[in-house]
Amino acid sequence: MPDVLRSVGAAALAVAVGVAAAGCAGADTKLTYANFERIATDGSMTKADVDKLLGVEGGRLFHMGKETAKALDAVGKAFGQKARADANRLVFRWGTENRHVDCAIVNGKVVDASQRGL
């Protein structure tokens, strides 16, 4: 009887792993370089637009914050840069550490995008 239970347990585990793998494969099928190139960084797109384009919801990766923006401004000033860091900058990621799209969003609008491994 224990051998039968082991066989049933192994079969159930195989089915669960197969379903999970299929779900993960389908989740990033829109995570392509072609779709990355469609992301507008001119302030005309929102996070919801990128979510729809890439087929999954992006997760928050980083929030600039006032102190970090202040420190970056000081470093930039030391090197003669006039651009100011925006304390409202949020960075979202779609994908994994090695294969992803990151977008910087300020005041609800996409202002910068980068990719890795696409």
Side-chain angles (χ1 to χ4, degrees):
M1 193 69 149
D3 290 334
V4 172
L5 292 176
R6 237 177 284 159
S7 296
V8 170
L13 179 61
V15 168
V17 169
V19 168
C24 290
D28 72 350
T29 57
K30 291 185 174 184
L31 189 62
T32 64
Y33 190 80
N35 279 340
F36 165 72
E37 287 187 316
R38 294 176 61 199
I39 297 171
T41 58
D42 60 0
S44 64
M45 290 184 84
T46 65
K47 179 186 174 292
D49 295 329
V50 180
D51 288 342
K52 186 175 179 180
L53 176 66
L54 299 180
V56 293
E57 187 172 336
R60 190 163 113 179
L61 187 64
F62 179 75
H63 178 241
M64 177 75 74
K66 290 180 182 178
E67 292 303 313
T68 304
K70 191 175 176 181
L72 288 175
D73 282 343
V75 170
K77 188 175 180 181
F79 287 99
Q81 296 176 350
K82 295 180 182 178
R84 295 187 50 89
D86 194 316
N88 295 320
R89 180 179 289 252
L90 297 170
V91 178
F92 289 86
R93 173 167 288 169
W94 291 260
T96 64
E97 180 68 27
N98 294 319
R99 186 172 182 271
H100 62 259
V101 168
D102 289 347
C103 287
I105 298 175
V106 176
N107 298 324
K109 302 295 183 176
V110 177
V111 297
D112 193 21
S114 63
Q115 62 85 24
R116 179 177 183 188
L118 298 184

